[in-house]
Amino acid sequence: MSYLTIFISAVFINNIVLSQLLGISPFIRASQKISSAWGLSGTLIIVMPIISIITSLIYHDFLTSYRLGFLIMPAFILIIAAIVQLFELAIKKISPSYSRTLENFRPFLVVNCAVLGTALLSAQKDFSPLHSACFGLANALGFMLAITLFASLRERLNNASVPPLLKGIPLSLITAGLLSMAFMGFAGI
Amino acid sequence: MKDKNLSCLTKGIIRENPVLTMLLGLCPVLGVSTTAAGSLSMGLTTLLVLVCSAASVSFLKNIIPPRFRLLCFLIIISAFVSTADILISAYLPRLHKTLGIYLPLIVVNGIILNRTELFASQNNLKSAILDALGMGTGFTLIITVLGIFREIVGAGTLLGFRLLPDSALILLLPPGAFFALACLFIVFNRLRKVC
């Protein structure tokens, strides 16, 4: 399978949030402002390719060759937690102001369906390490595309007058549903 | 004392429902709830994992070093999820196929980490188990209601029996998941205003 196919399919056709329904909690909770949405998705763009490549290496060279497939979940979740921790330490040195915004959505980085889901999906599809790095990057970009669209729509909706029963979460969910319907249009490609 | 235990158990079901008030665990709620049977089994599996991990965390709370709290919780939770995964794939292979990727993703279900970190690690064994039971029941309730609604409207069947002659397929697709959950939120907000 070529890199381009994996990339296009992960960003548009099988978008991680809007058609695979992974990572919904951070998608809804970090999208109140477009700045926090960008902070979260920017972090994911850096972290997810690294996590994908390391989990894929561990999966192929260690877990499957020693028949330790049942350890896949503890192994993957520990790798994710370790990489997120290392990333935080690095950010603290490089840019202290950014690390303060990072504090707010730290739980979304470790306990994120999208991150673990990407690692598990690329293990399931038997991608090579480079293919899974491409898959991880594409999923992070897909997340960024979806959350940017959603956060900008929500910022506009804050100024609209809506029925009080719909205000807040129900209206956001309907917006997300309409976005997801729009993304279904890519299925024809 | 008895009242306190009871409120520990019941607060998670409606009043502090983890899905509706804290927006936790939305991935499985949206992803699995296409059939009533599948969503009920997902809810029960999560309930079981939640109770087991809350009990172990509460039991081990004095041994776990505070600096590596999160890592210890994640290892405990993933051990129970792995066990559930292996048992289900051995005894219920069809269910294993329906749940697919969402079964291993119970590890990152926000409800479990939230309850173990905020409640079980600070309370005694009994109230941790009661709290986990209540929260798990609240989650199961929401995912099952959503599953029943989506199966009846989207496929016109319930547990395989045909109820409606016609159906709206959109409810079974990803956009339908968002719309169905939005309807549930509207009903919940309405009820909360009345009570």
Side-chain angles (χ1 to χ4, degrees), chain A residues 26 29-31 33-44 84 87-88 98-112 147:
Chain A
R29 297 210 295 185
S31 60
K33 275 186 302 186
I34 203 154
S35 57
S36 64
W38 278 58
L40 177 64
S41 45
T43 317
L44 283 180
V84 168
F87 179 77
E88 267 176 23
Y98 181 61
S99 86
R100 268 195 297 281
T101 48
L102 198 66
E103 288 270 287
N104 296 331
F105 40 74
R106 188 167 69 198
F108 296 148
L109 287 176
V110 181
V111 191
N112 186 332
I147 202 170

PDB file of all heavy atoms in Angstrom, chain A residues 26 29-31 33-44 84 87-88 98-112 147:
ATOM      1  N   PRO A  26     -11.811  14.424  23.916  1.00  0.00           N
ATOM      2  CA  PRO A  26     -10.982  15.616  23.700  1.00  0.00           C
ATOM      3  C   PRO A  26     -11.524  16.497  22.589  1.00  0.00           C
ATOM      4  O   PRO A  26     -11.440  17.722  22.664  1.00  0.00           O
ATOM      5  CB  PRO A  26      -9.606  15.058  23.339  1.00  0.00           C
ATOM      6  CG  PRO A  26      -9.806  13.648  23.041  1.00  0.00           C
ATOM      7  CD  PRO A  26     -11.010  13.201  23.752  1.00  0.00           C
ATOM      8  N   ARG A  29     -14.260  18.490  24.315  1.00  0.00           N
ATOM      9  CA  ARG A  29     -13.904  19.323  25.460  1.00  0.00           C
ATOM     10  C   ARG A  29     -12.801  20.333  25.163  1.00  0.00           C
ATOM     11  O   ARG A  29     -12.710  21.353  25.841  1.00  0.00           O
ATOM     12  CB  ARG A  29     -13.516  18.439  26.634  1.00  0.00           C
ATOM     13  CG  ARG A  29     -14.697  17.596  27.073  1.00  0.00           C
ATOM     14  CD  ARG A  29     -14.668  17.291  28.516  1.00  0.00           C
ATOM     15  NE  ARG A  29     -13.534  16.455  28.847  1.00  0.00           N
ATOM     16  CZ  ARG A  29     -13.341  15.955  30.053  1.00  0.00           C
ATOM     17  NH1 ARG A  29     -14.206  16.220  31.004  1.00  0.00           N
ATOM     18  NH2 ARG A  29     -12.312  15.212  30.313  1.00  0.00           N
ATOM     19  N   ALA A  30     -11.937  20.068  24.167  1.00  0.00           N
ATOM     20  CA  ALA A  30     -10.857  21.019  23.880  1.00  0.00           C
ATOM     21  C   ALA A  30     -11.236  21.990  22.781  1.00  0.00           C
ATOM     22  O   ALA A  30     -10.415  22.778  22.342  1.00  0.00           O
ATOM     23  CB  ALA A  30      -9.579  20.278  23.508  1.00  0.00           C
ATOM     24  N   SER A  31     -12.493  21.923  22.282  1.00  0.00           N
ATOM     25  CA  SER A  31     -12.807  22.744  21.122  1.00  0.00           C
ATOM     26  C   SER A  31     -13.629  23.966  21.482  1.00  0.00           C
ATOM     27  O   SER A  31     -14.289  24.535  20.626  1.00  0.00           O
ATOM     28  CB  SER A  31     -13.551  21.903  20.078  1.00  0.00           C
ATOM     29  OG  SER A  31     -14.726  21.414  20.623  1.00  0.00           O
ATOM     30  N   LYS A  33     -12.411  26.828  22.451  1.00  0.00           N
ATOM     31  CA  LYS A  33     -11.723  27.952  21.822  1.00  0.00           C
ATOM     32  C   LYS A  33     -10.786  27.402  20.767  1.00  0.00           C
ATOM     33  O   LYS A  33     -10.208  26.330  20.923  1.00  0.00           O
ATOM     34  CB  LYS A  33     -10.923  28.748  22.870  1.00  0.00           C
ATOM     35  CG  LYS A  33     -11.781  29.776  23.576  1.00  0.00           C
ATOM     36  CD  LYS A  33     -10.923  30.638  24.477  1.00  0.00           C
ATOM     37  CE  LYS A  33     -10.226  29.769  25.466  1.00  0.00           C
ATOM     38  NZ  LYS A  33      -9.475  30.406  26.490  1.00  0.00           N
ATOM     39  N   ILE A  34     -10.606  28.169  19.694  1.00  0.00           N
ATOM     40  CA  ILE A  34      -9.779  27.649  18.608  1.00  0.00           C
ATOM     41  C   ILE A  34      -8.321  27.551  19.045  1.00  0.00           C
ATOM     42  O   ILE A  34      -7.585  26.671  18.585  1.00  0.00           O
ATOM     43  CB  ILE A  34      -9.967  28.504  17.339  1.00  0.00           C
ATOM     44  CG1 ILE A  34      -9.585  27.691  16.115  1.00  0.00           C
ATOM     45  CG2 ILE A  34      -9.179  29.777  17.387  1.00  0.00           C
ATOM     46  CD1 ILE A  34     -10.254  28.138  14.878  1.00  0.00           C
ATOM     47  N   SER A  35      -7.906  28.392  20.036  1.00  0.00           N
ATOM     48  CA  SER A  35      -6.501  28.336  20.449  1.00  0.00           C
ATOM     49  C   SER A  35      -6.205  27.028  21.180  1.00  0.00           C
ATOM     50  O   SER A  35      -5.164  26.393  20.924  1.00  0.00           O
ATOM     51  CB  SER A  35      -6.189  29.527  21.351  1.00  0.00           C
ATOM     52  OG  SER A  35      -7.054  29.538  22.445  1.00  0.00           O
ATOM     53  N   SER A  36      -7.135  26.576  22.049  1.00  0.00           N
ATOM     54  CA  SER A  36      -6.857  25.325  22.752  1.00  0.00           C
ATOM     55  C   SER A  36      -6.929  24.149  21.784  1.00  0.00           C
ATOM     56  O   SER A  36      -6.179  23.175  21.916  1.00  0.00           O
ATOM     57  CB  SER A  36      -7.824  25.136  23.911  1.00  0.00           C
ATOM     58  OG  SER A  36      -9.135  25.011  23.445  1.00  0.00           O
ATOM     59  N   ALA A  37      -7.830  24.247  20.786  1.00  0.00           N
ATOM     60  CA  ALA A  37      -7.907  23.184  19.791  1.00  0.00           C
ATOM     61  C   ALA A  37      -6.585  23.050  19.054  1.00  0.00           C
ATOM     62  O   ALA A  37      -6.092  21.940  18.821  1.00  0.00           O
ATOM     63  CB  ALA A  37      -9.030  23.476  18.800  1.00  0.00           C
ATOM     64  N   TRP A  38      -5.968  24.202  18.707  1.00  0.00           N
ATOM     65  CA  TRP A  38      -4.698  24.163  17.987  1.00  0.00           C
ATOM     66  C   TRP A  38      -3.584  23.649  18.882  1.00  0.00           C
ATOM     67  O   TRP A  38      -2.702  22.926  18.413  1.00  0.00           O
ATOM     68  CB  TRP A  38      -4.343  25.550  17.453  1.00  0.00           C
ATOM     69  CG  TRP A  38      -5.052  25.822  16.184  1.00  0.00           C
ATOM     70  CD1 TRP A  38      -6.394  25.816  16.007  1.00  0.00           C
ATOM     71  CD2 TRP A  38      -4.467  26.081  14.908  1.00  0.00           C
ATOM     72  NE1 TRP A  38      -6.688  26.077  14.694  1.00  0.00           N
ATOM     73  CE2 TRP A  38      -5.531  26.245  14.002  1.00  0.00           C
ATOM     74  CE3 TRP A  38      -3.160  26.204  14.457  1.00  0.00           C
ATOM     75  CZ2 TRP A  38      -5.318  26.502  12.659  1.00  0.00           C
ATOM     76  CZ3 TRP A  38      -2.950  26.475  13.120  1.00  0.00           C
ATOM     77  CH2 TRP A  38      -4.022  26.625  12.232  1.00  0.00           C
ATOM     78  N   GLY A  39      -3.618  24.025  20.165  1.00  0.00           N
ATOM     79  CA  GLY A  39      -2.589  23.528  21.074  1.00  0.00           C
ATOM     80  C   GLY A  39      -2.597  22.024  21.160  1.00  0.00           C
ATOM     81  O   GLY A  39      -1.560  21.368  21.020  1.00  0.00           O
ATOM     82  N   LEU A  40      -3.818  21.464  21.345  1.00  0.00           N
ATOM     83  CA  LEU A  40      -3.921  20.014  21.471  1.00  0.00           C
ATOM     84  C   LEU A  40      -3.517  19.313  20.187  1.00  0.00           C
ATOM     85  O   LEU A  40      -2.730  18.367  20.192  1.00  0.00           O
ATOM     86  CB  LEU A  40      -5.346  19.626  21.858  1.00  0.00           C
ATOM     87  CG  LEU A  40      -5.617  18.135  21.946  1.00  0.00           C
ATOM     88  CD1 LEU A  40      -4.792  17.510  23.041  1.00  0.00           C
ATOM     89  CD2 LEU A  40      -7.071  17.858  22.188  1.00  0.00           C
ATOM     90  N   SER A  41      -4.027  19.809  19.035  1.00  0.00           N
ATOM     91  CA  SER A  41      -3.747  19.060  17.813  1.00  0.00           C
ATOM     92  C   SER A  41      -2.296  19.237  17.379  1.00  0.00           C
ATOM     93  O   SER A  41      -1.712  18.312  16.811  1.00  0.00           O
ATOM     94  CB  SER A  41      -4.722  19.442  16.701  1.00  0.00           C
ATOM     95  OG  SER A  41      -4.873  20.816  16.627  1.00  0.00           O
ATOM     96  N   GLY A  42      -1.692  20.409  17.685  1.00  0.00           N
ATOM     97  CA  GLY A  42      -0.270  20.572  17.382  1.00  0.00           C
ATOM     98  C   GLY A  42       0.573  19.581  18.153  1.00  0.00           C
ATOM     99  O   GLY A  42       1.499  18.965  17.599  1.00  0.00           O
ATOM    100  N   THR A  43       0.232  19.386  19.440  1.00  0.00           N
ATOM    101  CA  THR A  43       0.959  18.399  20.235  1.00  0.00           C
ATOM    102  C   THR A  43       0.796  17.004  19.653  1.00  0.00           C
ATOM    103  O   THR A  43       1.759  16.249  19.544  1.00  0.00           O
ATOM    104  CB  THR A  43       0.436  18.412  21.682  1.00  0.00           C
ATOM    105  OG1 THR A  43       0.275  19.755  22.078  1.00  0.00           O
ATOM    106  CG2 THR A  43       1.385  17.724  22.608  1.00  0.00           C
ATOM    107  N   LEU A  44      -0.432  16.690  19.258  1.00  0.00           N
ATOM    108  CA  LEU A  44      -0.671  15.351  18.705  1.00  0.00           C
ATOM    109  C   LEU A  44       0.129  15.130  17.433  1.00  0.00           C
ATOM    110  O   LEU A  44       0.612  14.027  17.182  1.00  0.00           O
ATOM    111  CB  LEU A  44      -2.162  15.157  18.418  1.00  0.00           C
ATOM    112  CG  LEU A  44      -3.041  14.874  19.622  1.00  0.00           C
ATOM    113  CD1 LEU A  44      -4.477  14.699  19.183  1.00  0.00           C
ATOM    114  CD2 LEU A  44      -2.573  13.618  20.327  1.00  0.00           C
ATOM    115  N   VAL A  84       4.669  10.695  26.212  1.00  0.00           N
ATOM    116  CA  VAL A  84       4.031  11.957  26.576  1.00  0.00           C
ATOM    117  C   VAL A  84       4.815  12.647  27.691  1.00  0.00           C
ATOM    118  O   VAL A  84       5.035  13.867  27.668  1.00  0.00           O
ATOM    119  CB  VAL A  84       2.561  11.708  26.982  1.00  0.00           C
ATOM    120  CG1 VAL A  84       1.965  12.929  27.632  1.00  0.00           C
ATOM    121  CG2 VAL A  84       1.750  11.329  25.774  1.00  0.00           C
ATOM    122  N   PHE A  87       7.975  14.119  26.253  1.00  0.00           N
ATOM    123  CA  PHE A  87       7.634  15.300  25.475  1.00  0.00           C
ATOM    124  C   PHE A  87       7.403  16.499  26.394  1.00  0.00           C
ATOM    125  O   PHE A  87       7.854  17.610  26.121  1.00  0.00           O
ATOM    126  CB  PHE A  87       6.379  15.004  24.652  1.00  0.00           C
ATOM    127  CG  PHE A  87       5.918  16.155  23.829  1.00  0.00           C
ATOM    128  CD1 PHE A  87       6.557  16.486  22.652  1.00  0.00           C
ATOM    129  CD2 PHE A  87       4.836  16.920  24.230  1.00  0.00           C
ATOM    130  CE1 PHE A  87       6.133  17.554  21.901  1.00  0.00           C
ATOM    131  CE2 PHE A  87       4.414  17.995  23.478  1.00  0.00           C
ATOM    132  CZ  PHE A  87       5.064  18.306  22.315  1.00  0.00           C
ATOM    133  N   GLU A  88       6.730  16.247  27.525  1.00  0.00           N
ATOM    134  CA  GLU A  88       6.481  17.330  28.479  1.00  0.00           C
ATOM    135  C   GLU A  88       7.771  17.890  29.044  1.00  0.00           C
ATOM    136  O   GLU A  88       7.935  19.104  29.168  1.00  0.00           O
ATOM    137  CB  GLU A  88       5.618  16.824  29.613  1.00  0.00           C
ATOM    138  CG  GLU A  88       4.165  17.060  29.364  1.00  0.00           C
ATOM    139  CD  GLU A  88       3.327  16.462  30.449  1.00  0.00           C
ATOM    140  OE1 GLU A  88       3.837  16.273  31.545  1.00  0.00           O
ATOM    141  OE2 GLU A  88       2.160  16.181  30.160  1.00  0.00           O
ATOM    142  N   TYR A  98       4.506  27.581  26.744  1.00  0.00           N
ATOM    143  CA  TYR A  98       3.669  26.589  26.070  1.00  0.00           C
ATOM    144  C   TYR A  98       3.360  25.430  27.006  1.00  0.00           C
ATOM    145  O   TYR A  98       2.285  24.850  26.945  1.00  0.00           O
ATOM    146  CB  TYR A  98       4.367  26.092  24.810  1.00  0.00           C
ATOM    147  CG  TYR A  98       3.568  25.094  24.045  1.00  0.00           C
ATOM    148  CD1 TYR A  98       2.318  25.435  23.535  1.00  0.00           C
ATOM    149  CD2 TYR A  98       4.024  23.805  23.844  1.00  0.00           C
ATOM    150  CE1 TYR A  98       1.564  24.521  22.850  1.00  0.00           C
ATOM    151  CE2 TYR A  98       3.272  22.877  23.164  1.00  0.00           C
ATOM    152  CZ  TYR A  98       2.050  23.237  22.671  1.00  0.00           C
ATOM    153  OH  TYR A  98       1.288  22.327  22.002  1.00  0.00           O
ATOM    154  N   SER A  99       4.324  25.140  27.912  1.00  0.00           N
ATOM    155  CA  SER A  99       4.104  23.986  28.790  1.00  0.00           C
ATOM    156  C   SER A  99       2.957  24.253  29.762  1.00  0.00           C
ATOM    157  O   SER A  99       2.312  23.323  30.228  1.00  0.00           O
ATOM    158  CB  SER A  99       5.381  23.629  29.540  1.00  0.00           C
ATOM    159  OG  SER A  99       5.494  24.377  30.710  1.00  0.00           O
ATOM    160  N   ARG A 100       2.687  25.553  30.055  1.00  0.00           N
ATOM    161  CA  ARG A 100       1.558  25.835  30.940  1.00  0.00           C
ATOM    162  C   ARG A 100       0.223  25.548  30.253  1.00  0.00           C
ATOM    163  O   ARG A 100      -0.699  25.040  30.880  1.00  0.00           O
ATOM    164  CB  ARG A 100       1.612  27.293  31.414  1.00  0.00           C
ATOM    165  CG  ARG A 100       2.356  27.452  32.734  1.00  0.00           C
ATOM    166  CD  ARG A 100       2.091  28.795  33.346  1.00  0.00           C
ATOM    167  NE  ARG A 100       2.582  29.895  32.524  1.00  0.00           N
ATOM    168  CZ  ARG A 100       3.861  30.272  32.482  1.00  0.00           C
ATOM    169  NH1 ARG A 100       4.748  29.639  33.204  1.00  0.00           N
ATOM    170  NH2 ARG A 100       4.256  31.278  31.726  1.00  0.00           N
ATOM    171  N   THR A 101       0.121  25.861  28.955  1.00  0.00           N
ATOM    172  CA  THR A 101      -1.128  25.524  28.266  1.00  0.00           C
ATOM    173  C   THR A 101      -1.258  24.009  28.121  1.00  0.00           C
ATOM    174  O   THR A 101      -2.354  23.468  28.114  1.00  0.00           O
ATOM    175  CB  THR A 101      -1.197  26.153  26.862  1.00  0.00           C
ATOM    176  OG1 THR A 101       0.025  25.898  26.193  1.00  0.00           O
ATOM    177  CG2 THR A 101      -1.467  27.626  26.919  1.00  0.00           C
ATOM    178  N   LEU A 102      -0.097  23.350  28.023  1.00  0.00           N
ATOM    179  CA  LEU A 102      -0.108  21.901  27.874  1.00  0.00           C
ATOM    180  C   LEU A 102      -0.677  21.212  29.111  1.00  0.00           C
ATOM    181  O   LEU A 102      -1.344  20.193  29.018  1.00  0.00           O
ATOM    182  CB  LEU A 102       1.318  21.414  27.613  1.00  0.00           C
ATOM    183  CG  LEU A 102       1.504  20.031  27.020  1.00  0.00           C
ATOM    184  CD1 LEU A 102       0.952  20.029  25.618  1.00  0.00           C
ATOM    185  CD2 LEU A 102       2.958  19.662  26.996  1.00  0.00           C
ATOM    186  N   GLU A 103      -0.429  21.807  30.289  1.00  0.00           N
ATOM    187  CA  GLU A 103      -0.932  21.252  31.551  1.00  0.00           C
ATOM    188  C   GLU A 103      -2.437  20.981  31.478  1.00  0.00           C
ATOM    189  O   GLU A 103      -2.909  19.973  31.979  1.00  0.00           O
ATOM    190  CB  GLU A 103      -0.693  22.247  32.689  1.00  0.00           C
ATOM    191  CG  GLU A 103       0.747  22.389  33.096  1.00  0.00           C
ATOM    192  CD  GLU A 103       1.137  21.425  34.188  1.00  0.00           C
ATOM    193  OE1 GLU A 103       0.703  21.654  35.318  1.00  0.00           O
ATOM    194  OE2 GLU A 103       1.854  20.458  33.887  1.00  0.00           O
ATOM    195  N   ASN A 104      -3.167  21.927  30.825  1.00  0.00           N
ATOM    196  CA  ASN A 104      -4.627  21.837  30.829  1.00  0.00           C
ATOM    197  C   ASN A 104      -5.147  20.576  30.163  1.00  0.00           C
ATOM    198  O   ASN A 104      -6.126  20.012  30.589  1.00  0.00           O
ATOM    199  CB  ASN A 104      -5.241  23.046  30.115  1.00  0.00           C
ATOM    200  CG  ASN A 104      -4.936  24.313  30.852  1.00  0.00           C
ATOM    201  OD1 ASN A 104      -4.779  24.294  32.055  1.00  0.00           O
ATOM    202  ND2 ASN A 104      -4.828  25.416  30.135  1.00  0.00           N
ATOM    203  N   PHE A 105      -4.497  20.175  29.088  1.00  0.00           N
ATOM    204  CA  PHE A 105      -5.029  18.973  28.435  1.00  0.00           C
ATOM    205  C   PHE A 105      -4.083  17.799  28.496  1.00  0.00           C
ATOM    206  O   PHE A 105      -4.050  16.989  27.605  1.00  0.00           O
ATOM    207  CB  PHE A 105      -5.486  19.256  26.994  1.00  0.00           C
ATOM    208  CG  PHE A 105      -4.618  20.160  26.199  1.00  0.00           C
ATOM    209  CD1 PHE A 105      -3.415  19.708  25.712  1.00  0.00           C
ATOM    210  CD2 PHE A 105      -5.023  21.441  25.920  1.00  0.00           C
ATOM    211  CE1 PHE A 105      -2.616  20.544  24.972  1.00  0.00           C
ATOM    212  CE2 PHE A 105      -4.223  22.271  25.182  1.00  0.00           C
ATOM    213  CZ  PHE A 105      -3.029  21.828  24.711  1.00  0.00           C
ATOM    214  N   ARG A 106      -3.323  17.703  29.587  1.00  0.00           N
ATOM    215  CA  ARG A 106      -2.480  16.521  29.742  1.00  0.00           C
ATOM    216  C   ARG A 106      -3.285  15.231  29.810  1.00  0.00           C
ATOM    217  O   ARG A 106      -2.913  14.252  29.174  1.00  0.00           O
ATOM    218  CB  ARG A 106      -1.588  16.650  30.957  1.00  0.00           C
ATOM    219  CG  ARG A 106      -0.591  15.513  30.972  1.00  0.00           C
ATOM    220  CD  ARG A 106       0.498  15.726  31.932  1.00  0.00           C
ATOM    221  NE  ARG A 106      -0.033  15.626  33.280  1.00  0.00           N
ATOM    222  CZ  ARG A 106       0.597  16.090  34.337  1.00  0.00           C
ATOM    223  NH1 ARG A 106       1.746  16.694  34.196  1.00  0.00           N
ATOM    224  NH2 ARG A 106       0.089  15.963  35.513  1.00  0.00           N
ATOM    225  N   PRO A 107      -4.414  15.191  30.563  1.00  0.00           N
ATOM    226  CA  PRO A 107      -5.165  13.940  30.575  1.00  0.00           C
ATOM    227  C   PRO A 107      -5.617  13.507  29.183  1.00  0.00           C
ATOM    228  O   PRO A 107      -5.705  12.318  28.905  1.00  0.00           O
ATOM    229  CB  PRO A 107      -6.370  14.243  31.479  1.00  0.00           C
ATOM    230  CG  PRO A 107      -6.302  15.669  31.806  1.00  0.00           C
ATOM    231  CD  PRO A 107      -4.954  16.157  31.506  1.00  0.00           C
ATOM    232  N   PHE A 108      -5.871  14.481  28.281  1.00  0.00           N
ATOM    233  CA  PHE A 108      -6.322  14.110  26.936  1.00  0.00           C
ATOM    234  C   PHE A 108      -5.212  13.475  26.112  1.00  0.00           C
ATOM    235  O   PHE A 108      -5.468  12.895  25.081  1.00  0.00           O
ATOM    236  CB  PHE A 108      -6.808  15.331  26.162  1.00  0.00           C
ATOM    237  CG  PHE A 108      -8.011  15.959  26.762  1.00  0.00           C
ATOM    238  CD1 PHE A 108      -8.211  17.314  26.671  1.00  0.00           C
ATOM    239  CD2 PHE A 108      -8.941  15.187  27.418  1.00  0.00           C
ATOM    240  CE1 PHE A 108      -9.314  17.898  27.220  1.00  0.00           C
ATOM    241  CE2 PHE A 108     -10.046  15.763  27.973  1.00  0.00           C
ATOM    242  CZ  PHE A 108     -10.236  17.125  27.876  1.00  0.00           C
ATOM    243  N   LEU A 109      -3.949  13.647  26.529  1.00  0.00           N
ATOM    244  CA  LEU A 109      -2.863  13.106  25.719  1.00  0.00           C
ATOM    245  C   LEU A 109      -2.628  11.635  26.030  1.00  0.00           C
ATOM    246  O   LEU A 109      -2.460  10.823  25.129  1.00  0.00           O
ATOM    247  CB  LEU A 109      -1.576  13.899  25.956  1.00  0.00           C
ATOM    248  CG  LEU A 109      -1.589  15.281  25.333  1.00  0.00           C
ATOM    249  CD1 LEU A 109      -0.333  16.040  25.695  1.00  0.00           C
ATOM    250  CD2 LEU A 109      -1.685  15.168  23.834  1.00  0.00           C
ATOM    251  N   VAL A 110      -2.610  11.293  27.336  1.00  0.00           N
ATOM    252  CA  VAL A 110      -2.352   9.893  27.687  1.00  0.00           C
ATOM    253  C   VAL A 110      -3.604   9.063  27.467  1.00  0.00           C
ATOM    254  O   VAL A 110      -3.581   8.030  26.804  1.00  0.00           O
ATOM    255  CB  VAL A 110      -1.895   9.784  29.150  1.00  0.00           C
ATOM    256  CG1 VAL A 110      -1.598   8.345  29.486  1.00  0.00           C
ATOM    257  CG2 VAL A 110      -0.674  10.617  29.377  1.00  0.00           C
ATOM    258  N   VAL A 111      -4.720   9.543  28.018  1.00  0.00           N
ATOM    259  CA  VAL A 111      -5.952   8.770  27.924  1.00  0.00           C
ATOM    260  C   VAL A 111      -6.753   9.273  26.739  1.00  0.00           C
ATOM    261  O   VAL A 111      -7.760   9.914  26.887  1.00  0.00           O
ATOM    262  CB  VAL A 111      -6.757   8.893  29.223  1.00  0.00           C
ATOM    263  CG1 VAL A 111      -7.866   7.893  29.236  1.00  0.00           C
ATOM    264  CG2 VAL A 111      -5.862   8.673  30.394  1.00  0.00           C
ATOM    265  N   ASN A 112      -6.256   8.987  25.560  1.00  0.00           N
ATOM    266  CA  ASN A 112      -6.899   9.480  24.355  1.00  0.00           C
ATOM    267  C   ASN A 112      -7.157   8.292  23.446  1.00  0.00           C
ATOM    268  O   ASN A 112      -6.223   7.614  23.032  1.00  0.00           O
ATOM    269  CB  ASN A 112      -5.964  10.496  23.700  1.00  0.00           C
ATOM    270  CG  ASN A 112      -6.581  11.174  22.524  1.00  0.00           C
ATOM    271  OD1 ASN A 112      -7.441  10.603  21.862  1.00  0.00           O
ATOM    272  ND2 ASN A 112      -6.144  12.369  22.245  1.00  0.00           N
ATOM    273  N   ILE A 147     -10.966  19.131  14.299  1.00  0.00           N
ATOM    274  CA  ILE A 147     -11.168  19.963  15.488  1.00  0.00           C
ATOM    275  C   ILE A 147     -11.105  21.443  15.117  1.00  0.00           C
ATOM    276  O   ILE A 147     -11.794  22.270  15.721  1.00  0.00           O
ATOM    277  CB  ILE A 147     -10.178  19.581  16.606  1.00  0.00           C
ATOM    278  CG1 ILE A 147     -10.730  20.029  17.955  1.00  0.00           C
ATOM    279  CG2 ILE A 147      -8.820  20.158  16.405  1.00  0.00           C
ATOM    280  CD1 ILE A 147      -9.968  19.509  19.125  1.00  0.00           C
TER     281      ILE A 147
END
